[in-house]
Each structure stands twice: as C-alpha cells, then as structure tokens.
Amino acid sequence: AALAVASKPVFDAIQHLLDSSTYIHDAFVWLLDLPSPANLTPRTWVQRRTSPMTRGLDDALIRQVAVRVVLAIIATVAFTSYRRAVQRSKGFVAACVAGMLLVTQPHVVYYSSRLIPNAYALVASTFAAGCYRRGGRTWALIGGAVMAGVAVSMRCDLVLVGVPYAAWCWLGAPRVPIALGAVVGAVAAAASVAASVAFDTPPWQAEAAAGIDDVPQYVWPEGEVFKFNAIEGKSVQWGKSPWHWYGTSALPKLLGGAAPLA
C-alpha cells in the first residue's frame, strides 16, 4: 500500500503531465492487474497488446520499470560518490569498508529502486554524507541544504540524521559557523516546503473535487505527517514495540551482513 501511494505522484506526472485534474486514485493503474512474467509468453503478449485495457496496463508497467531503473542509477551514483569521498579523506581501506557497509545491508538494496520517501531520503543522506567527506565548508553546506530540504518535504525523521550532521559540520574540520549553517538550512527547508506545497496541493485538490478526500486549501504532506506523529502523538496508532526494539530487532535486521563492520 505504501509503495502504491508513493508511486502514484510519479505515475501521474508521467501519464498526465500538467493536467492535475486527472491526478486521482481512480486513474492509477501501476500496481493493479500487472502481468506475471511467467505468463508473458509470445502468444499472451500479443493478446495483451491487442486489448486496450491490458495494453494500457503493460505501458504503465514499462514506465514504472523505467522510472525505477533511473532511481536505482541515481542511488548508485550517490553510493559511489560517497565511497570515493571516503577514499579521498580516509584512504583506500576505509573506502572499501564503506562500500561493503552499503552493499551488505539488505534494506539499501531493497530501497534503492523503490518509489517511496525512504529511498529518496536514503539517496539524499548518502549524498550529504559524501559532501561532508569531500571536505571544505562549501561542500558541507551543500550537504546540509540537501538534508534539510529532503527532511521537510519527503522524510521528516531524517532530522535524526541531520542534527548529528550539523554537529559534525560545526565541530569538525569544516568549522561551519552556526549562524551560516542555520541560514543555509532554513533557506533550503523553506524552498523545499514551497515546492512541496506547489507540487502536492493540485493532486489532493483534484481528489477533493472528485469527492474522494476532504483536504485543506494548501497541502504540505510531510508537515501533516509530522503533526500526526510528533505533535498530536498519534504515532502509537501504527503500533507499539518495547524500548529495546531498535537495538534487539530492527538494527540487526537492517544491518544484516554489515553488522560486524558497523
């Protein structure tokens, strides 16, 4: 369900371009009735291509695969950039360890091509870490701007990574002044919120006009997520786990073979 909801804006943008009146769930077909590769024999492929309904579904599947391949390439570029930045700052052995940390974590491979906020945040945080490792105040500020922009528009809990990043930039080699870092982060966050509202409001308004949802005049999705989970304290509705869950269950599963390296 999360993949379907997150894939929808990409599908709408490709399928309908600027016609936001069609940005509604009724037109979303990427994850509905998609063919199984085992059933795509030459004969069934011809049959599907001659049917208007299944031909549209197959075209949507092709578009989805193409977009996910592009996202996977972007993620690979971010990972490679980070490894090279580590090699320049810490040497070849450290770069090899960093590379193994990336490729041996199951969730990294799993998320790299998925059209969900987790994947976007993964790419952004990896790119930002690479910027910091490149050295210099300018690169540190660029990484911080990316981190701040993605945190307020796609994944608010990226703040948990952004705060240590800001501390490193302030206390580490770049020695970025607090005031300068705060201004750059605030400008990047404000621009990202404005872009998110401008991009996300029309689809939600189209759904409101179609009677699917009742939404406010302007929609900031990640702000609504933060309000629901953090301010209103309703994150408990997603379920509860014991205090040690991250250390005893989540991290071991996420790290996989990278646990000894970590």
Side-chain angles (χ1 to χ4, degrees):
L3 179 58
V5 172
S7 300
K8 177 185 176 296
V10 180
F11 171 83
D12 286 335
I14 294 175
Q15 186 78 358
H16 308 297
L17 298 179
L18 300 180
D19 185 9
S20 61
S21 64
T22 57
Y23 282 28
I24 57 177
H25 287 293
D26 291 343
F28 185 50
V29 298
W30 266 13
L31 299 179
L32 304 178
D33 191 32
L34 296 180
S36 168
N39 297 329
L40 286 181
T41 64
R43 181 178 179 181
T44 57
W45 178 257
V46 172
Q47 291 174 345
R48 293 184 66 88
R49 299 304 292 179
T50 54
S51 168
M53 176 62 181
T54 54
R55 184 170 64 249
L57 293 173
D58 290 342
D59 290 343
L61 175 61
I62 292 172
R63 293 189 183 98
Q64 180 184 177
V65 171
V67 172
R68 290 184 61 175
V69 167
V70 171
L71 178 59
I73 292 174
I74 294 174
T76 301
V77 170
F79 300 153
T80 303
S81 176
Y82 174 74
R83 188 192 62 78
R84 289 178 177 175
V86 171
Q87 182 171 345
R88 281 194 294 266
S89 62
K90 297 296 182 179
F92 178 76
V93 174
C96 290
V97 173
M100 288 188 290
L101 274 169
L102 288 172
V103 301
T104 55
Q105 297 179 67
H107 74 287
V108 171
V109 179
Y110 178 82
Y111 280 134
S112 293
S113 67
R114 292 187 172 264
L115 302 173
I116 52 178
N118 304 57
Y120 311 145
L122 174 65
V123 172
S125 58
T126 303
F127 175 79
C131 288
Y132 176 82
R133 284 300 175 191
R134 284 175 178 268
R137 182 176 297 179
T138 300
W139 279 111
L141 289 172
I142 291 174
V146 171
M147 191 88 72
V150 174
V152 299
S153 62
M154 296 182 182
R155 194 72 188 182
C156 60
D157 49 7
L158 194 60
V159 171
L160 298 176
V161 180
V163 171
Y165 180 91
W168 292 335
C169 292
W170 176 41
L171 300 173
R175 292 290 181 182
V176 177
I178 296 179
L180 177 60
V183 169
V184 171
V187 170
S192 186
V193 169
S196 175
V197 172
F199 180 82
D200 291 311
T201 296
W204 286 106
Q205 291 295 340
E207 295 194 356
I212 299 176
D213 283 306
D214 183 18
V215 299
Q217 183 178 2
Y218 299 102
V219 180
W220 175 26
E222 201 59 26
E224 294 294 326
V225 171
F226 182 79
K227 176 184 175 183
F228 181 89
N229 290 328
I231 298 178
E232 297 179 350
K234 295 181 179 179
S235 59
V236 68
Q237 296 183 18
W238 303 109
K240 295 189 295 184
S241 299
W243 64 269
H244 55 78
W245 180 79
Y246 276 103
T248 59
S249 179
L251 288 177
K253 292 178 180 177
L254 290 174
L255 290 172
L261 297 175

